[in-house]
Amino acid sequence: MREWQVKRRERTKQLIELGGLVAKADLVELIDDDRAALYGALLTVAAKLRGPDRAQALVLFRRKGKRAFEAEQQGRVR
């Protein structure tokens, strides 16, 4: 397989996984599949991560995500 094909497949896999996280967080249902609202929410998170409280926000987001993954593995609901 050519190098560009490998890179394309890796990128496609990454995008599918990221889309899965959006669905897993119930964002699709919560915003009634409103793509503009979802994009706006993601831009808000990105702005927070560009701000002076980046490190603190990242720690909070990571902690919340790890807890949700662990709860899911143990069969608990968010």
Side-chain angles (χ1 to χ4, degrees), residues 49-62:
L49 292 172
R50 287 188 189 99
D53 298 329
R54 179 192 195 292
Q56 183 179 359
L58 196 53
V59 167
L60 176 66
F61 296 157
R62 187 174 288 128

Side-chain angles (χ1 to χ4, degrees), residues 13-77:
K13 181 182 178 201
Q14 179 189 34
L15 292 173
I16 290 169
E17 289 172 345
L18 293 172
L21 291 174
V22 168
K24 185 182 287 264
D26 291 330
L27 290 173
V28 178
E29 290 80 19
L30 289 170
I31 62 169
D32 198 28
D33 200 11
D34 182 341
R35 313 271 167 108
L38 177 60
Y39 188 40
L42 294 172
L43 289 172
T44 300
V45 171
K48 183 141 186 102
L49 292 172
R50 287 188 189 99
D53 298 329
R54 179 192 195 292
Q56 183 179 359
L58 196 53
V59 167
L60 176 66
F61 296 157
R62 187 174 288 128
R63 185 181 307 141
K64 242 183 163 134
K66 286 174 101 174
R67 285 182 184 158
F69 279 136
E70 289 167 2
E72 182 181 301
Q73 286 179 345
Q74 295 173 3
R76 294 181 298 189
V77 178

